[in-house]
Amino acid sequence: MIVEDHLLLWNHAALKIMEVKRTELPIGGQLYASRLPASTLLYTIQGRARLLLNGEEQLVENGYVCHAGKDTVLAITDIAEHLEYYMIQYKAALPLPCSQDLLQLLDRTEPFDIQYGFAAIHATPLFAALSRMEQEWNQPGAMAKLRVKS
């Protein structure tokens, strides 16, 4: 099953967090098309809008999570309610040495590059974790960045 393959790769991956930020866009505002510099998780805190990932549309509301790979073109339009969201940009790699089977699985499934989205069932704990990550990310020093990674 592809989900099991993705989970296997996520469990073996080494992650480097590139950025954690919270953004707000007003009703009628938009985020013009921009290319993502790294794989990205986007989580909506509040609002409603249309999100385009390489032209593929997703309607987002409170508690929506989406993932996009590096170089995906992101645009946000049709903001019907004040939109707030977190973006976590990261780079993932399999640490070497690793098995040839894992490398082949990574090539076949590309879990860090694909696009997907879903409504979070338990949004409150996710929001709390992202809020802590943002607070730590904005603190100086290596220890704060390590806490974000954990």
Side-chain angles (χ1 to χ4, degrees):
M1 172 180 244
I2 198 161
V3 172
E4 290 298 320
D5 292 343
H6 287 196
L7 292 174
L8 177 67
L9 290 166
W10 273 101
N11 283 329
H12 281 86
L15 297 177
K16 175 161 179 49
I17 305 297
M18 307 305 291
E19 184 171 26
V20 177
K21 71 177 178 179
R22 183 177 176 160
T23 302
E24 297 183 36
L25 295 172
I27 294 172
Q30 65 181 5
L31 176 70
Y32 293 100
S34 61
R35 192 168 301 277
L36 296 173
S39 296
T40 301
L41 283 165
L42 186 144
Y43 174 75
T44 57
I45 302 165
Q46 72 172 20
R48 189 173 51 210
R50 184 167 62 116
L51 184 116
L52 298 165
L53 298 170
N54 285 342
E56 292 183 29
E57 180 178 307
Q58 296 185 38
L59 299 176
V60 298
E61 294 184 336
N62 305 5
Y64 191 83
V65 177
C66 84
H67 180 271
K70 180 181 178 185
D71 292 328
T72 298
V73 176
L74 167 68
I76 301 174
T77 63
D78 300 335
I79 298 172
E81 294 177 20
H82 180 85
L83 185 68
E84 286 185 62
Y85 60 92
Y86 282 107
M87 283 181 70
I88 301 172
Q89 295 181 332
Y90 71 92
K91 291 185 180 178
L94 292 180
L96 298 176
C98 71
S99 77
Q100 190 64 30
D101 289 342
L102 278 178
L103 292 172
Q104 289 172 350
L105 185 60
L106 179 64
D107 285 342
R108 248 188 351 267
T109 62
E110 300 178 325
F112 313 121
D113 295 325
I114 61 173
Q115 299 173 159
Y116 57 86
F118 58 91
I121 295 171
H122 302 288
T124 303
L126 183 55
F127 173 71
L130 289 168
S131 179
R132 284 191 311 274
M133 286 175 74
E134 180 200 23
Q135 289 171 358
E136 291 291 341
W137 187 258
N138 292 321
Q139 297 299 312
M143 183 55 78
K145 302 304 186 259
L146 180 61
R147 284 191 292 265
V148 169
K149 186 174 181 176
S150 70

